[in-house]
Amino acid sequence: MATGRGRLLLQHWLGLQALRLPLGGVGAAPGSGGFRKGAGVEFAASWTMLKQYARCGRKCEGPSAACSVSLDGMPPEILLKILSYLDAVTLLCAGCVNRRFYHLANDKISGLGWVIILKEKSGREYVMEHVELSVNDSSVTIVWYGKNWPRLATLSTLNLCGVTPVFMDRSKIPTKNGPRWHSLIAKYSLSHFPESTMIGCDRLIRIFHLNPGLLVGLWKREEELAFVTANLHLHHLAERSTLGSAALPYELPPHTPRLDDTPEYGLHGYQLHVDMHSGGIFYLCSTFRNLFTKKGHIENGYAKLTVIHFKNNTEHLPLVGKVGLSWRTDVFDGCIKSCSIMDMTLLDEYGQPFWCFSSPVCMRSSPRPLDGPHFWGQTYDVDYVDSAGRLHMELVWITETEEHFIVSLVLYLSVAKINHWFGTRY
């Protein structure tokens, strides 16, 4: 059944890919930054293009100057008519593209959701339905809170699952009491919260980051659960939310390297899009193109890819507004300073997602001062690491303008991932 769904999704999105939609970030120049086309274009590339296209509402720029298709310019009635020809699974997939598609798809069929399953050490389970959901530019943020949390000391694990109705009837709104298919996305341990996982606090709560992408808020006084937030990148989200099982997550199909004898193949032609946001407020939304590294920059199993150079003032970027991570429960709300959600999408030279994540991050005071020219104020670091690589960002607080400036951004790509992806032997 999973194979059939996968083929259906692939055929649908490959058809959309034929529109030759441009990849456009904020400030993208017309005709630039498009995906390179070729045999074997994957589902994720088409999905990313559709999302970017629907968001920016640009006209299709292909060989024909007469092409002027604009999904964002279509009235809702036309889009709903188009969506009416799609089956339930494809509608669920379309709902993961952006805010507009999510609401339009839900007008046709409602059913895709996410739950957390809290498991006690005794074996008892609690299924918690999500309370809030927001679709960002390249991720989904899902929140759970309430008054009926089980005691933290009794819990052992938390399972994050996508849920869809087993029996889909377009004429009826699916109910939560009916049978639903559970697709395991990630499993987390709740038996211990090391101090190293705490990324921030305020007068009421402490927040902990559990990889991948889970944020757990604990009340300071009782040390009990206040809320849980999952941050899910849109890349392969439809498959992960529908094609796994209750016990096993969806397994990506084997990757076939695209062989090439170009010198330093796999080290050039990267494109990065990074967002920093919270509660619908974006502090950073930037796209960087034509990124590259060299063999000489490979060290300790990582290839250093510099995005923003420390010594080049023209590349430095400000964060808009005062950075803080908003949280809320049914009783209280607040904002934790210096924390936010970071969404990162790194595309290879063929426009296919090479490294994606959505995760809470924290700006931590840097123990060493920046020795560059004309820098006054406190310095900060932002770090993220997973199996695909590491991200390191350096910022400085400009007292005169009361804003943070990114003065350095470096990605350290796993050489093992590069070799696996491109078939190289660095």
Side-chain angles (χ1 to χ4, degrees):
M1 184 172 76
T3 302
R5 285 186 176 184
R7 289 176 179 172
L8 182 62
L9 293 173
L10 180 62
Q11 292 172 358
H12 173 60
W13 291 108
L14 284 179
L16 291 171
Q17 192 270 342
L19 292 173
R20 297 177 61 89
L21 309 177
L23 174 68
V26 173
S32 66
F35 284 107
R36 290 177 57 179
K37 308 297 188 300
V41 174
E42 292 185 352
F43 160 82
S46 304
W47 186 2
T48 304
M49 285 189 292
L50 179 64
K51 184 200 76 64
Q52 293 284 359
Y53 182 71
R55 176 192 170 207
C56 298
R58 288 195 175 90
K59 292 185 177 181
C60 175
E61 297 178 18
S64 172
C67 180
S68 59
V69 178
S70 176
L71 292 180
D72 199 47
M74 291 184 179
E77 295 79 6
I78 300 299
L79 287 175
L80 285 173
K81 182 63 176 179
I82 295 173
L83 293 177
S84 68
Y85 291 99
L86 305 181
D87 68 287
V89 175
T90 311
L91 278 170
L92 295 175
C93 180
C96 294
V97 172
N98 61 17
R99 293 184 185 90
R100 192 183 187 205
F101 274 45
Y102 175 79
H103 292 296
L104 287 172
N106 274 358
D107 283 345
K108 298 302 298 179
I109 186 170
S110 177
L112 175 60
W114 291 270
V115 300
I116 54 175
I117 302 175
L118 303 171
K119 294 189 176 183
E120 288 188 339
K121 299 170 184 176
S122 63
R124 185 178 179 182
E125 296 184 352
Y126 299 85
V127 179
M128 313 290 289
E129 304 288 341
H130 74 259
V131 180
E132 295 180 1
L133 183 147
S134 59
V135 182
N136 309 303
D137 288 344
S138 54
S139 69
V140 174
T141 301
I142 311 154
V143 184
W144 294 264
Y145 58 79
K147 300 178 180 178
N148 299 318
W149 293 103
R151 293 186 61 243
L152 182 60
T154 66
L155 300 176
S156 59
T157 60
L158 181 153
N159 287 1
L160 171 62
C161 298
V163 291
T164 51
V166 173
F167 305 109
M168 200 74 75
D169 187 345
R170 297 194 186 194
S171 63
K172 298 179 181 179
I173 298 178
T175 64
K176 297 178 181 179
N177 297 326
R180 295 188 295 179
W181 180 265
H182 286 67
S183 177
L184 179 65
I185 297 175
K187 187 174 183 178
Y188 307 87
S189 172
L190 298 182
S191 57
H192 181 56
F193 288 90
E195 287 298 319
S196 60
T197 63
M198 191 184 83
I199 64 171
C201 64
D202 61 12
R203 63 185 183 87
L204 292 176
I205 65 166
R206 296 192 300 162
I207 57 174
F208 296 81
H209 170 216
L210 304 183
N211 206 24
L214 196 73
L215 191 67
V216 178
L218 299 183
W219 296 114
K220 269 187 174 180
R221 179 174 297 181
E222 296 88 1
E223 284 294 322
E224 295 292 350
L225 289 170
F227 64 86
V228 173
T229 301
N231 304 282
L232 304 175
H233 197 281
L234 290 177
H235 180 48
H236 287 306
L237 179 57
E239 297 98 322
R240 291 187 292 150
S241 301
T242 59
L243 302 184
S245 69
L248 296 173
Y250 167 75
E251 184 175 346
L252 294 175
H255 174 72
T256 302
R258 204 183 279 233
L259 302 180
D260 197 322
D261 57 0
T262 304
E264 298 195 335
Y265 177 57
L267 301 181
H268 54 78
Y270 287 98
Q271 178 172 310
L272 172 69
H273 185 82
V274 58
D275 295 327
M276 294 179 69
H277 61 92
S278 176
I281 299 174
F282 279 72
Y283 310 113
L284 174 69
C285 182
S286 293
T287 299
F288 308 87
R289 297 182 174 85
N290 301 319
L291 303 176
F292 65 91
T293 184
K294 299 179 180 179
K295 288 183 180 179
H297 293 164
I298 295 178
E299 185 178 0
N300 299 324
Y302 290 96
K304 183 179 180 181
L305 185 68
T306 303
V307 181
I308 296 178
H309 295 77
F310 175 75
K311 295 183 179 181
N312 189 345
N313 292 350
T314 63
E315 295 181 355
H316 300 171
L317 292 175
L319 298 184
V320 180
K322 294 185 178 179
V323 177
L325 194 150
S326 302
W327 63 270
R328 63 171 296 180
T329 68
D330 47 357
V331 180
F332 299 104
D333 57 40
C335 184
I336 298 179
K337 296 180 180 180
S338 301
C339 295
S340 65
I341 304 301
M342 177 179 286
D343 300 334
M344 195 203 78
T345 307
L346 182 67
L347 308 180
D348 66 14
E349 63 176 298
Y350 300 103
Q352 299 187 22
F354 176 82
W355 181 22
C356 303
F357 69 78
S358 178
S359 173
V361 294
C362 180
M363 297 189 302
R364 301 188 185 278
S365 178
S366 176
R368 53 178 177 75
L370 296 171
D371 53 4
H374 309 298
F375 286 148
W376 301 280
Q378 180 63 50
T379 57
Y380 298 88
D381 291 340
V382 172
D383 291 284
Y384 174 84
V385 60
D386 62 23
S387 60
R390 296 188 288 119
L391 176 146
H392 180 71
M393 178 186 291
E394 296 180 3
L395 306 96
V396 62
W397 172 255
I398 306 299
T399 306
E400 287 75 8
T401 58
E402 294 189 343
E403 58 186 345
H404 290 94
F405 262 80
I406 303 173
V407 297
S408 177
L409 176 58
V410 181
L411 305 181
Y412 296 88
L413 307 183
S414 167
V415 174
K417 173 70 181 286
I418 292 176
N419 289 337
H420 170 74
W421 192 260
F422 295 99
T424 51
R425 295 183 179 180
Y426 294 120

